[in-house]
Amino acid sequence: MAFDGIVTKAICSELSFLEGARIDKIFQPNKNNIILGMYNKGKNFALNICTESSNCRIHLTTHSVSNPQVAPNFCMILRKNILGLHFKKIYTLDLERLVIIDFEGLDDVDDVFSRKLIIEIMGKHSNVILLDEQNIIIDSLRHIKHDEPNEKNRDIIPHIRYKFPISDKYNFLEISNFNNFCEILSPKILNVKILKDELPNIIFNTFNGFSKNFIYFLIKKLIEQKKWIFESDITSYKTNLHLIYDEINNIIDNIDSNKLSFCTDLYFNKRDYFLYFNKRDYFLYFSNTENSPFSLNFFIDDFYFSKETLENFTNYRNSLLKLILNVLGKYNKRLIHINEKLKDCDNMNTFRIYGELITANLYKFDNNSKLDLISVENYYDNQNIIDIPLDKRFSISQNAKRYFKKYNKLKNALEVVSIQKSETEKELDYIQSIIFELENSSDIENLVDIYDEISDNIVFKDTPIANNKYFSDKKNAKLKKSKLTKNKNVSFNPIKYSNDDYIILVGRNNIENDYLTLKYANKSDIWFHVKDFHGSHTILKILKLPSDTSNILDSIPYELLCRAAKIAVEHSKAKNSSNVPVDFCEVKFVKKPNGSKPGMVIYTNYRTIYVK
């Protein structure tokens, strides 16, 4: 985990400038986040406290979030107890991921009183706890009640005294020198050959405040600086340990200085020394030269905002894709069932022939005889003898009627099932277009637009989309947008390619495709779409009409047509194919059939260009 004890201590050290700030706003956007709005020296600040298991942290934030219309209970208790108080002090205990904020204010009779906020940053056990002056719990974000509480299993419920968590690990700040550090670790390292690979895990399990990845980073840094010794003797072992010990001490000793730099490959920062580790972590390290001003709080804010945005987008998309794939599976099964019915209809003409031949040869047989087979001449097949099976329970004439009945039943079924197959194939094609939209979505707003589209579509009427947990809150929090009507001034956001010579617009989903082509584009603009593949509608805006408007396509440079066709291919399922045909025509030749699905159009008077 990146937000370890060292980062916690550095964050709190940086937040000390807020001492004296007044708490003027408190929000709880969701069950895991608390936002404290503060005013200090003419500026407003927002302190974000996050208890989400994989992203627990505390830092200043500049990213706004939507808040529920009705504040949760814990938010109301915080407002009642600390709203209007002053931010007196923020500090940590040693290298524990535990932050304490002291607040102070005046009561109704101008007596000074205090409150204390404990932020426990402990993964899935993270919590925010409000205490009174006697350290009695007023309330907490999460209530914890153990059947048998002990020193480790603490009860976190109102009206009991708060107890700090107890750890079996050593406190690194109490280590007086390297010999003491080495003595603590030596019994746990039985083989010096495993030092490089196992040391991070050993230090993590021995001392508070360090993540495994942080120790891996220090070793990697020492190796790249060519300080790490790969020999397996005891002297090399102690030398390497001493290097790590010094690196950790340098970082801790300089937390309050301007000599701490950051290492990450997600955030570029010009420093005297810069290393890359992986995309999920960032690390403090000591720099011997002066550095430019750097805000750890806002770095953390941007890092986690990007991370959570990507995680939310992935969760939303996967959730929506699962729903759509379920519908796709149902329609695929329906198509299989329809094809089976159509296969049964292949024999309907045989039943008609049987009925006609029995009727034509009825005079040759005793109608009341109980036969299971008759042989007659088939005048449809050069008078060749054909065997016709009969049901002995019925007379020969009744068997003929039964064959005619089967024929008529299958004939009627063929008409109905053929229509059902055509409709089902159209629905499958539409569902595939939705999947294409999902695959090409780039942000959560795109997903919400797709969600809005399918929520109102009859294809998904039996799917519990409206109750989906990922989209219900997002849809409610979404800003109300103007509907896509004929008004060309409404807000919509197609993908745009432009320079001085042209403007090319690309729809991001079916609803936007319809609006872009049928409402927004002028009749003289040029419409592009990849032939026989799902893709976005692409519009080439004509910036200057030629004098002869009867041949607009001939007046456009071929290179510009190729450019627009290539963009259409890039936003289609054929983007990885070669020699892709792209149809294009004037917008006035693009029509939408009545009752057709969003994004579905027909077009005439078109030409085709091939994109290699």
Side-chain angles (χ1 to χ4, degrees):
M1 178 179 173
F3 207 93
D4 57 15
I6 291 180
V7 175
T8 304
K9 189 174 182 66
I11 284 283
C12 290
S13 175
E14 194 172 281
L15 287 174
S16 60
F17 81 94
L18 288 173
E19 292 177 3
R22 183 179 182 273
I23 310 300
D24 57 1
K25 294 178 182 178
I26 301 176
F27 301 109
Q28 187 177 345
N30 52 60
K31 64 179 182 180
N32 293 316
N33 283 79
I34 302 291
I35 305 291
L36 300 182
M38 291 176 282
Y39 181 82
N40 188 38
K41 298 179 181 178
K43 293 183 179 180
N44 292 309
F45 300 92
L47 183 65
N48 180 29
I49 303 170
C50 178
T51 59
E52 185 181 352
S53 60
S54 58
N55 296 316
C56 52
R57 63 197 186 275
I58 176 174
H59 57 81
L60 293 177
T61 182
T62 57
H63 299 286
S64 60
V65 292
S66 58
N67 293 291
Q69 294 181 348
V70 179
N73 290 337
F74 185 63
C75 179
M76 296 299 292
I77 290 174
L78 288 178
R79 290 176 181 177
K80 179 181 178 180
N81 283 272
I82 65 175
L83 194 63
L85 302 188
H86 289 275
F87 188 101
K88 182 181 179 182
K89 186 178 181 182
I90 183 170
Y91 55 97
T92 63
L93 296 180
D94 302 326
L95 291 180
E96 293 283 0
R97 289 182 296 167
L98 189 146
V99 178
I100 305 169
I101 305 177
D102 289 337
F103 300 96
E104 192 174 75
L106 300 177
D107 58 17
D108 294 337
V109 293
D110 291 338
D111 289 335
V112 177
F113 76 100
S114 63
R115 291 290 182 265
K116 187 175 293 185
L117 201 63
I118 309 291
I119 299 101
E120 297 180 350
I121 307 171
M122 302 177 180
K124 65 180 182 180
H125 302 294
S126 298
N127 208 345
V128 180
I129 306 163
L130 179 65
L131 308 182
D132 65 9
E133 295 171 304
Q134 286 77 38
N135 288 337
I136 302 299
I137 297 175
I138 298 175
D139 204 353
S140 61
L141 186 62
R142 295 184 177 91
H143 293 177
I144 302 173
K145 176 67 175 177
H146 295 281
D147 294 334
E148 296 181 2
N150 52 46
E151 292 298 326
K152 289 187 177 180
N153 295 332
R154 305 168 299 146
D155 286 344
I156 305 295
I157 54 177
H159 311 305
I160 69 169
R161 185 171 297 277
Y162 174 77
K163 294 181 180 179
F164 287 102
I166 295 177
S167 174
D168 294 332
K169 297 181 181 180
Y170 288 88
N171 179 9
F172 184 85
L173 299 182
E174 294 179 352
I175 305 299
S176 57
N177 52 52
F178 169 70
N179 289 332
N180 190 6
F181 177 76
C182 194
E183 288 174 2
I184 293 173
L185 287 179
S186 293
K188 299 185 179 183
I189 303 177
L190 303 178
N191 187 347
V192 294
K193 293 182 180 179
I194 66 171
L195 180 61
K196 175 178 173 294
D197 296 326
E198 297 296 328
L199 186 58
N201 190 54
I202 294 173
I203 293 180
F204 169 76
N205 290 323
T206 304
F207 296 100
N208 277 326
F210 312 126
S211 65
K212 297 177 186 178
N213 285 344
F214 171 69
I215 305 300
Y216 275 118
F217 163 73
L218 292 183
I219 294 175
K220 181 180 176 67
K221 179 173 175 284
L222 292 170
I223 291 174
E224 294 192 9
Q225 292 177 335
K226 298 183 179 179
K227 295 180 180 180
W228 188 267
I229 301 175
F230 289 94
E231 302 296 330
S232 299
D233 57 274
I234 191 66
T235 303
S236 300
Y237 153 69
K238 287 191 174 183
T239 301
N240 289 335
L241 272 184
H242 210 302
L243 290 170
I244 293 176
Y245 176 78
D246 290 341
E247 287 287 337
I248 296 174
N249 270 314
N250 281 333
I251 293 171
I252 295 174
D253 293 342
N254 288 277
I255 281 178
D256 296 327
S257 72
N258 194 33
K259 289 179 178 277
L260 289 179
S261 299
F262 265 82
C263 171
T264 176
D265 56 356
L266 286 183
Y267 191 95
F268 181 74
N269 186 27
K270 293 182 179 179
R271 297 288 169 174
D272 57 291
Y273 190 76
F274 197 83
L275 293 173
Y276 294 88
F277 186 58
N278 62 51
K279 292 184 178 181
R280 295 176 296 176
D281 263 341
Y282 51 87
F283 309 95
L284 278 169
Y285 68 94
F286 176 68
S287 174
N288 290 316
T289 60
E290 292 297 326
N291 295 300
S292 58
F294 180 78
S295 173
L296 173 58
N297 274 271
F298 294 121
F299 168 83
I300 297 289
D301 183 34
D302 291 341
F303 179 89
Y304 280 103
F305 178 79
S306 300
K307 181 181 178 183
E308 289 179 337
T309 299
L310 179 59
E311 289 176 352
N312 288 337
F313 172 76
T314 302
N315 288 336
Y316 294 162
R317 184 176 63 180
N318 291 344
S319 176
L320 190 53
L321 182 61
K322 182 179 179 181
L323 295 173
I324 294 173
L325 289 178
N326 286 338
V327 177
L328 179 65
K330 292 178 181 178
Y331 275 85
N332 280 326
K333 289 180 180 178
R334 180 184 297 180
L335 185 61
I336 292 172
H337 185 60
I338 289 173
N339 287 331
E340 290 175 352
K341 288 184 177 180
L342 288 175
K343 189 176 180 180
D344 293 338
C345 294
D346 292 342
N347 297 324
M348 67 178 185
N349 285 324
T350 301
F351 297 142
R352 176 181 59 82
I353 292 172
Y354 283 173
E356 290 179 356
L357 292 178
I358 292 174
T359 303
N361 293 277
L362 191 58
Y363 68 94
K364 297 180 180 179
F365 305 95
D366 181 5
N367 186 43
N368 294 322
S369 59
K370 303 298 183 182
L371 301 176
D372 57 4
L373 182 71
I374 61 172
S375 298
V376 297
E377 292 178 350
N378 184 2
Y379 47 77
Y380 289 105
D381 187 23
N382 297 323
Q383 304 300 322
N384 291 325
I385 301 300
I386 182 173
D387 294 330
I388 301 177
L390 302 177
D391 190 333
K392 293 192 295 183
R393 296 175 300 171
F394 305 99
S395 65
I396 296 177
S397 60
Q398 287 176 330
N399 272 279
K401 291 179 180 179
R402 286 171 59 82
Y403 277 125
F404 283 127
K405 186 176 180 179
K406 287 182 180 179
Y407 165 73
N408 289 324
K409 183 177 180 179
L410 291 176
K411 180 182 177 182
N412 294 332
L414 179 62
E415 295 177 359
V416 174
V417 173
S418 296
I419 296 173
Q420 290 177 345
K421 181 176 181 178
S422 176
E423 293 176 347
T424 302
E425 288 176 340
K426 289 179 181 179
E427 305 293 7
L428 283 170
D429 188 61
Y430 173 67
I431 296 170
Q432 291 288 354
S433 72
I434 296 294
I435 295 175
F436 168 77
E437 291 177 19
L438 279 177
E439 292 173 347
N440 289 273
S441 297
S442 58
D443 54 47
I444 292 178
E445 290 302 319
N446 291 161
L447 299 181
V448 174
D449 288 338
I450 296 172
Y451 170 79
D452 290 340
E453 176 186 341
I454 66 176
S455 295
D456 299 329
N457 197 290
I458 193 171
V459 175
F460 300 92
K461 65 177 181 179
D462 296 327
T463 305
I465 290 178
N467 297 325
N468 183 265
K469 65 178 181 179
Y470 289 115
F471 286 90
S472 56
D473 293 338
K474 192 66 185 176
K475 187 175 182 180
N476 292 335
K478 187 181 176 185
L479 294 177
K480 186 177 181 180
K481 299 193 304 183
S482 301
K483 293 185 178 180
L484 298 181
T485 64
K486 290 185 177 181
N487 178 14
K488 294 186 179 182
N489 295 320
V490 300
S491 175
F492 86 116
N493 188 30
I495 302 169
K496 185 176 182 180
Y497 300 84
S498 65
N499 63 18
D500 295 337
D501 299 324
Y502 64 84
I503 296 176
I504 299 175
L505 302 175
V506 182
R508 299 173 302 160
N509 53 64
N510 287 328
I511 299 294
E512 201 166 84
N513 285 337
D514 278 352
Y515 178 72
L516 177 62
T517 300
L518 305 172
K519 301 293 192 305
Y520 187 82
N522 296 321
K523 298 297 182 182
S524 57
D525 293 336
I526 310 303
W527 178 86
F528 292 80
H529 197 282
V530 175
K531 189 174 185 177
D532 299 329
F533 283 94
H534 291 295
S536 298
H537 292 202
T538 303
I539 297 294
L540 171 61
K541 297 290 292 181
I542 303 300
L543 302 181
K544 184 178 180 182
L545 285 174
S547 56
D548 183 9
T549 58
S550 62
N551 292 309
I552 293 179
L553 292 179
D554 294 332
S555 67
I556 301 174
Y558 180 75
E559 293 76 11
L560 184 52
L561 292 174
C562 290
R563 171 62 176 158
K566 186 176 180 180
I567 290 174
V569 172
E570 290 173 355
H571 294 277
S572 73
K573 271 199 167 183
K575 61 184 176 182
N576 296 322
S577 303
S578 59
N579 205 29
V580 180
V582 179
D583 293 338
F584 63 98
C585 64
E586 294 178 51
V587 169
K588 65 183 178 182
F589 296 119
V590 181
K591 308 296 180 184
K592 188 172 185 64
N594 291 334
S596 60
K597 295 291 186 296
M600 305 299 177
V601 295
I602 56 176
Y603 52 94
T604 56
N605 296 56
Y606 64 91
R607 301 180 188 179
T608 302
I609 192 170
Y610 287 83
V611 177
K612 296 183 178 180

